[in-house]
Each structure stands twice: as C-alpha cells, then as structure tokens.
C-alpha cells in the first residue's frame, strides 16, 4: 500500500522542492497527500492544490498542517522539511514528538545542542529522523562504500574531497538578497560555505570509509570582504581508524559548477567519484591500471545494482539519488532495515564538525574535537 507523504517548504520556484517531489514519487511508494509549501500561505495552498493535494490538506503553514494531520486516520506517514535552515529544528522536533517520521534537509539544525535534542527526541519517539545527505545515495557511491567494506583498497589512509563552486564569486552580486543571507550570521548561523556545502563532503567521507570525523583544523576566508561568514574553507580532519582527511569547499571558485568530488586512497588502491559524472568510479589497484567502473555494469554490489533504475550508460542524476533516499525511507517505515539511510546522528555529527571548524578557524587552525558531546 502507498504511504502518505507531506511536505513543508519546497514551494514553487524553490531550489530543492522539485528534487523531493521527483524523488518521493519516482517509485510508487508515496502519494503527496499534504503540504505547507510556502512561507506565503495563499501561494502555498494554491501550489499544493495544483500538485493534486486535496484542498483541506493544502495548509497555510506547518503548525496548521501538524494540527490537521495528527488527528486523521489517513494521516501522513512521512513529512519532508525543506524550508530554510533556521526553521528545521522546531518543525522537525514538533513532528517527531507528534509521532511522524521525518526527512529533514541539511543542515539539520543551527546548533549542536539542537542537534542533540533532535537525536534524543527521535530516539524517544521511535520514529525515523532522516537527513537528506542525498549524494550518498548515488549507486556508484554505494559501490565505493562496498569496495571499502570488502577490503578492495585495503585500509583507508586518506580521503580528499572538494565541494567548490563559483556561483557566489561575483562581488558585484554580493548584495543580492538571495546571496547575501548565506554570509550573514543572523540568517545563516556560525558558518557560511562550510555549513552549506562542506558538510555534504564530510558526510560522504564518513559514509564511504565507515570512519567518523574526530578532530578538525580549519582555515576560513571571506574572500569578498563585505561577507562576515566564510565563502572559502580548507578543513583538515582526522577520523576514527586513523584516516587522514582533506576538504576544500568554496563558493568563489569561478568556473567550477557543482564541484563535488571525492577520492579515497587505501593501502592497495585508490578511487575517485565526482557528482558531475556520477555514473563512473575511477579505480586503480596498487601497481595496476586505472579502470572505469560504470553504473549498471555486471558485477557491482547488490546495493549499487538495487539503486540503479535505467539501463547502462543512461544518465541517472540528482533527483534519482534523492529517490534512493525515499526508497530506503519507505522500506524503513515498513519495518525493513536499511543501513545506508543518513539519520539524525549524521545531522548532529555535521553540526558538531561545523562548530569545531569555526572554533579552529578562529584559533589559527588549532586542532579541535569535532565529536558531538553526547557521542564522546
Ligand atoms: P529556497 O529559498 O529556494 O526555497 C525555500 C522554500 O521554502 C520556498 O518555497 C519558501 O516559500 C518555503 N518556506 C520558507 N519558509 C517556510 C515556512 N516557514 N513554511 C513553509 N514553507 C516555507 O531554498 P532551497 O535552496 O530549496 O533550500 C531549502 C533547504 O534545502 C535548505 O535547508 C537547504 O540547505 C537545503 N538544500 C539541500 C540540498 C541538498 O543537496 N540536500 C540542495 C539545496 C538545498
């Protein structure tokens, strides 16, 4: 039977809303049953109805949606929170406390304390709180994780990752309100680019290696001087198991487009994946030749095969990576285990790493403990 799905944020013209709708609806697991899609109540109601939501479930805001849904027999099984960052905590907490499963956009919260609170509430409620680290759901990223797990590159020595684009590199556009808020502490919190993009890369490093980030040393720069928060960051990190990590994230790298890639180097081999060529992994065994592994080819792990839908060599991009998060969520809601699903623990770890990097950057790159206090 189909599950009922609701969405908060992701209104008309939003950046991430369409990827959630394409993703959630791709595999027939969910029906879009309710929504509070926009900060403008009338626009949100109208847009939800245009997407097929019944008028009485096209809500003006999330509190109205919570009140309306909690009493229904056919209430939503899952709610996605795709609003701006500062609202994630209160919406996610309220829906978990009311007994709904939640998929929250990243960053899950604005502070470490809020992150710990979400972890506690999720554990207490017994409900799933997933966080949309959707890049980890690309089939070939799953393949890399499986290659590490099965020892194909030996013990991992080093992870090098970049999430650097150039879309905020035009100083003449720095005062555009759609750009400016990202570097304003009142709106964005303690970190700009690292909290926005760097945490995807950091999560990916942990996801593939199976190691957690323990300490960080950071250098932050505001290369456009009117910006209070960083638009460029270099973060060194050390992981459980001794893995060494290097991460560069930037929004002023003009000419780079999406700019997310990761290389994992082990004792007996190395591999590379890039979000702009997500169907391939470049793998080199020590002393051997570089091989290009292709999504959809024979011999891939069961997880990589399971999460690939279209035939080999056909592009299968971002919305279907998001769809993979929803596939695993649907399975988890139905009581089946899924070990690849990014959860509130991951959202909390990211926030602890953000605060540690900010502290480090203010202390000339001193090494700082990046583990959430509740996991130490
Ligand atoms: P956006 O500004 O393009 O859209 C935000 C949407 O939320 C708009 O439709 C707005 O009307 C609505 N909204 C704002 N406040 C609301 C409220 N209180 N109740 C209901 N709706 C409300 O923002 P964008 O880029 O779509 O980002 C949203 C979230 O998704 C952010 O947390 C961002 O970090 C995250 N994101 C994640 C990505 C990923 O790769 N996982 C990629 C892009 C964004």
């Amino acid at each position: 039977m189909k599950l009922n799905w609701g969405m908060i944020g992701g209104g008309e013209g939003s950046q991430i809303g369409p990827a959630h709708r394409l993703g959630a609806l791709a595999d027939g697991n969910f029906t879009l049953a309710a929504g509070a899609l926009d900060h403008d109540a009338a626009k949100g109601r109208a847009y939800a109805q245009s997407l097929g939501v019944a008028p009485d479930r096209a809500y003006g805001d999330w509190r109205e949606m919570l009140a309306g849904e909690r009493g229904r027999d056919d209430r939503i099984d899952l709610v996605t929170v795709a609003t701006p960052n500062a609202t994630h905590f209160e919406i996610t907490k309220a829906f978990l406390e009311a007994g709904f499963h939640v998929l929250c956009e990243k960053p899950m919260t604005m502070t470490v304390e809020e992150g710990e609170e979400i972890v506690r509430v999720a554990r207490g409620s017994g409900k799933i709180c997933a966080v949309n680290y959707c890049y980890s759901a690309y089939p070939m990223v799953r393949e890399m994780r499986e290659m590490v797990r099965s020892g194909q590159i030996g013990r991992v020595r080093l992870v090098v990752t970049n999430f650097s684009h150039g879309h905020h590199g035009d100083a003449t556009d720095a005062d555009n309100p759609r750009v400016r808020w990202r570097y304003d502490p009142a709106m964005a919190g303690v970190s700009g680019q690292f909290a926005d993009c760097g945490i995807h890369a950091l999560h990916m490093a942990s996801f593939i290696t199976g190691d957690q980030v323990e300490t960080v040393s950071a250098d932050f720069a505001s290369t456009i001087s009117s910006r209070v928060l960083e638009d460029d960051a270099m973060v060194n990190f050390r992981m459980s198991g001794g893995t060494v990590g290097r991460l560069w994230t930037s929004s002023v790298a003009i000419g780079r487009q999406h700019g997310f890639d990761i290389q994992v180097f082990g004792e007996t081999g190395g591999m590379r994946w890039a979000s702009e060529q997500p169907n391939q992994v470049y793998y080199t065994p020590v002393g051997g030749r570089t091989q290009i592994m292709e999504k959809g080819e024979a011999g891939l792990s069961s997880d990589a095969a399971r999460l690939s839908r279209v035939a080999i060599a056909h592009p299968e991009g971002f919305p279907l990576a998001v769809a993979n998060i929803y596939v695993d969520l649907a399975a988890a809601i139905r009581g089946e285990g899924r070990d690849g699903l990014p959860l509130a623990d991951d959202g909390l770890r990211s926030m602890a790493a953000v605060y540690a990097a900010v502290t480090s950057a203010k202390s000339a790159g001193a090494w700082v403990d990046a583990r959430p206090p509740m996991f130490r």
Side-chain angles (χ1 to χ4, degrees):
M1 212 174 85
K2 280 201 176 192
L3 299 166
N4 282 328
W5 174 54
M7 205 179 170
I8 301 170
E12 190 168 21
S14 66
Q15 188 186 353
I16 199 68
H20 279 283
R21 284 185 286 277
L22 290 166
L25 305 178
D27 294 278
N29 287 310
F30 293 98
T31 302
L32 179 58
L37 301 182
D38 206 288
H39 69 270
D40 178 320
K43 273 180 69 183
R45 284 197 189 99
Y47 189 51
Q49 289 178 61
S50 79
L51 296 170
V53 175
D56 63 327
R57 299 178 86 174
Y59 299 99
D61 67 56
W62 69 266
R63 288 188 176 83
E64 196 185 290
M65 178 160 151
L66 182 60
E69 289 298 310
R70 71 191 316 165
R72 298 181 70 103
D73 292 339
D74 61 349
R75 67 188 225 159
I76 50 170
D77 299 287
L78 170 71
V79 64
T80 292
V81 181
T83 49
N85 303 354
T87 60
H88 293 175
F89 171 67
E90 65 171 347
I91 302 175
T92 297
K93 182 169 184 256
F95 275 82
L96 285 171
E97 284 174 341
F100 294 93
H101 300 294
V102 179
L103 171 61
C104 182
E105 263 305 341
K106 47 58 56 176
M108 182 177 79
T109 59
M110 298 292 280
T111 68
V112 179
E113 292 73 22
E114 288 172 355
E116 293 198 332
E117 177 72 359
I118 293 291
V119 168
R120 273 192 291 272
V121 170
R123 287 179 183 172
S125 70
K127 297 295 161 187
I128 300 161
C129 180
V131 181
N132 194 31
Y133 288 117
C134 46
Y135 302 100
S136 65
Y138 275 102
M140 294 311 283
V141 172
R142 297 297 176 101
E143 184 66 18
M144 289 171 86
R145 180 174 75 145
E146 191 50 40
M147 288 174 72
V148 171
R149 283 181 168 178
S150 61
Q152 287 186 62
I153 63 165
R155 187 185 70 78
V156 177
R157 291 173 174 149
L158 181 62
V159 180
V160 180
T161 182
N162 304 292
F163 198 152
S164 297
H165 64 78
H167 301 304
H168 304 152
D170 181 356
T172 64
D173 194 43
D175 278 337
N176 175 343
R178 289 195 68 128
V179 175
R180 195 181 52 216
W181 75 266
R182 296 170 182 279
Y183 306 97
D184 176 356
M187 304 282 285
V190 295
S191 163
Q193 176 62 13
F194 185 61
D196 190 32
C197 293
I199 60 172
H200 272 299
L202 207 62
H203 174 263
M204 183 81 90
S206 290
F207 184 82
I208 293 173
T209 63
D211 292 335
Q212 297 299 344
V213 176
E214 294 196 326
T215 54
V216 299
S217 161
D219 179 31
F220 280 13
S222 301
T223 67
I224 291 181
S225 58
S226 60
R227 290 177 177 164
V228 176
L229 299 176
E230 85 288 353
D231 55 16
D232 185 281
M234 184 65 85
V235 180
N236 285 308
F237 55 99
R238 298 297 164 100
M239 307 180 83
S240 53
T243 307
V244 175
R246 318 277 184 214
L247 186 159
W248 172 48
T249 187
S250 185
S251 65
V252 294
I254 294 169
R256 287 181 66 111
Q257 298 301 338
H258 190 243
F260 183 15
D261 57 56
I262 187 161
Q263 290 174 276
V264 182
F265 302 104
E267 288 172 329
T268 61
M271 49 192 180
R272 175 180 189 273
W273 177 86
S275 71
E276 293 176 31
Q277 293 87 35
N279 287 357
Q280 289 88 31
V281 167
Y282 286 71
Y283 162 59
T284 312
V286 66
R289 300 176 75 169
T290 298
Q291 303 163 29
I292 303 174
M293 300 166 54
E294 184 81 22
K295 177 195 74 70
E297 70 187 7
L300 298 182
S301 64
S302 57
D303 217 24
R306 174 178 74 84
L307 295 172
S308 169
R309 293 169 187 74
V310 297
I312 188 165
H314 287 70
E316 195 168 343
F318 184 71
L320 287 186
V322 176
N324 289 340
I325 297 286
Y326 281 95
V327 165
D328 282 356
L329 262 171
I333 290 169
R334 291 175 173 135
E336 300 164 29
R338 284 287 188 263
D339 76 346
L341 200 54
L343 295 170
D345 285 17
D346 301 295
L348 167 60
R349 286 185 194 281
S350 297
M351 204 30 61
V354 166
Y355 274 73
V358 169
T359 303
S360 171
K362 286 181 179 156
S363 323
W367 284 92
V368 175
D369 193 333
R371 297 168 301 166
M374 74 187 290
F375 294 163
R376 287 181 192 168

